[in-house]
Amino acid sequence: MKYGIIGTGAIGGFFGAKLAKSGQEVHFLFHRDYDVVCKQGLQVNSYDGDFHLFPVHAYQHAEDMPQCDVVLVALKSVNNELLKTLLPPLLKADTLVVMIQNGIGVEDDIQKMFPGTWLAAGLAYVCAAKTKPGVVDHLAQGSIDIGNYSCKDQNVMDKLISEMNAAGVKAKEVEYHKARWNKAIWNMSFNGMTVALDTKTDALLADPASNQLIRDLMLEVIDGARACGVKTLTHDLVDKIIHFTQDMPPYSPSMKLDYDFHRPMEIYYLYTRPIEEAKKAGYEMPKLSMLEAELKFKERNNL
């Protein structure tokens, strides 16, 4: 299939580069990196093998890109209003748009923006960072769960999963709501806490007090998800996610990097929206609500 990447940062760059390396036709939209990538290509420094792409189908303007079978959107959700102009040139009647973003409610809002477009959620489990133009550092993990939100052709979903796996990305289809809330367990706990305590994941887990707080936050997310109807998420996931994170290298999640570089943080879809959804279902998230308030304060004094 023909792929388009909107938001070629660490995550979009990693998945797009893996697909291109495997022989798929991939078209990348760049912002600051465009000139560098045109001259030097795209470099992926990976713990499981470095590789370099050159030449790259690189674009500075979405209107110059071709229509695609699949579009991977890896923009930060704070920039989703840009999709009103970025997405249309890439769309045809049966294009599948995969929203590789964190949080709850993303697809609901994008579907209102593009009523007839097929959407899926992409939940990335990968430690990657882009610290200089044209270079993606892949530190650990490298899988993606995909939840069908409104795609009407299962063959397209199946082919996407197949081509992802053939590219060396561990991909599987999961139920949409479970996928979104399952990823939220990690994100709502670690993203905000690394900002609030100005640290990385390993330090949060090494200290008994912050380790317990992380566990408490995870339990709130699980119980919120269950109140919203996702009964397959259970408390035993907490220990599994803790062990998963302990096996990762010391890591600054995306929200921590945004804060450190004085960029807007993805507070709405990561905290405000899921807290609202849980409250509508009759469940309060007091500790996460306190964390949300602290993050809003820190952002207002950081931009």
Side-chain angles (χ1 to χ4, degrees), residues 238-291:
V238 171
D239 283 335
K240 294 177 182 178
I241 295 171
I242 292 290
H243 293 321
F244 167 85
T245 309
Q246 288 172 330
D247 289 339
M248 291 163 47
Y251 186 57
S252 293
S254 59
M255 183 171 279
K256 180 63 163 63
L257 294 176
D258 288 337
Y259 180 78
D260 289 345
F261 286 95
H262 302 278
R263 299 188 294 246
M265 296 185 288
E266 297 180 290
I267 298 172
Y268 178 72
Y269 287 112
L270 268 176
Y271 292 92
T272 308
R273 186 69 167 265
I275 289 169
E276 288 175 351
E277 295 298 322
K279 188 173 184 177
K280 287 178 189 175
Y283 181 77
E284 299 282 349
M285 294 179 163
K287 292 180 180 178
L288 285 163
S289 296
M290 184 179 292
L291 180 56

Side-chain angles (χ1 to χ4, degrees), residues 1-249:
M1 293 191 291
K2 185 183 296 184
Y3 290 84
I5 309 293
I6 293 181
T8 311
I11 302 301
F14 172 72
F15 287 125
K18 292 284 279 185
L19 285 164
K21 180 176 179 287
S22 73
Q24 299 299 329
E25 182 180 338
V26 185
H27 300 266
F28 298 84
L29 180 64
F30 288 95
H31 182 40
R32 297 183 183 88
D33 294 12
Y34 174 75
D35 290 333
V36 171
V37 172
C38 286
K39 293 175 184 176
Q40 302 177 13
L42 184 60
Q43 175 69 29
V44 177
N45 299 322
S46 175
Y47 80 102
D48 64 356
D50 300 349
F51 63 94
H52 183 252
L53 292 181
F54 188 82
V56 176
H57 293 300
Y59 303 82
Q60 199 168 20
H61 306 288
E63 56 265 31
D64 297 329
M65 299 177 73
Q67 292 181 331
C68 296
D69 300 301
V70 176
V71 179
L72 305 181
V73 175
L75 283 178
K76 292 293 176 68
S77 60
V78 294
N79 296 317
N80 277 359
E81 280 296 309
L82 298 176
L83 292 175
K84 290 179 179 178
T85 55
L86 296 180
L87 256 184
L90 285 70
L91 299 179
K92 49 193 180 71
D94 58 353
T95 299
L96 174 62
V97 177
V98 182
M99 301 299 298
I100 307 179
Q101 294 182 339
N102 294 322
I104 301 298
V106 172
E107 288 73 25
D108 294 356
D109 292 345
I110 298 301
Q111 195 75 83
K112 293 171 186 172
M113 205 181 291
F114 298 95
T117 300
W118 295 353
L119 299 178
L123 293 311
Y125 294 88
V126 54
C127 297
K130 185 164 73 67
T131 55
K132 55 184 176 180
V135 179
V136 173
D137 293 319
H138 175 215
L139 308 175
Q141 309 302 327
S143 64
I144 186 169
D145 288 351
I146 299 177
N148 188 351
Y149 182 81
S150 61
C151 180
K152 296 180 180 178
D153 188 345
Q154 185 60 39
N155 290 329
V156 174
M157 292 287 296
D158 292 343
K159 194 169 185 181
L160 169 61
I161 299 292
S162 175
E163 291 181 354
M164 281 278 195
N165 279 288
V169 175
K170 295 179 181 178
K172 66 179 185 296
E173 184 175 356
V174 296
E175 194 276 325
Y176 169 77
H177 292 97
K178 180 181 179 181
R180 276 282 170 212
W181 279 102
N182 187 59
K183 183 69 184 292
I185 301 170
W186 195 95
N187 278 325
M188 293 181 74
S189 305
F190 284 100
N191 269 278
M193 283 292 290
T194 54
V195 174
L197 297 184
D198 190 23
T199 190
K200 295 183 179 182
T201 53
D202 61 324
L204 285 176
L205 295 180
D207 182 85
S210 55
N211 185 304
Q212 184 58 54
L213 182 52
I214 287 287
R215 290 173 180 273
D216 292 345
L217 295 175
M218 287 185 181
L219 290 173
E220 278 195 4
V221 181
I222 292 170
D223 288 341
R226 291 177 62 82
C228 291
V230 187
K231 304 297 185 182
T232 52
L233 298 182
T234 55
H235 287 184
D236 64 326
L237 285 169
V238 171
D239 283 335
K240 294 177 182 178
I241 295 171
I242 292 290
H243 293 321
F244 167 85
T245 309
Q246 288 172 330
D247 289 339
M248 291 163 47

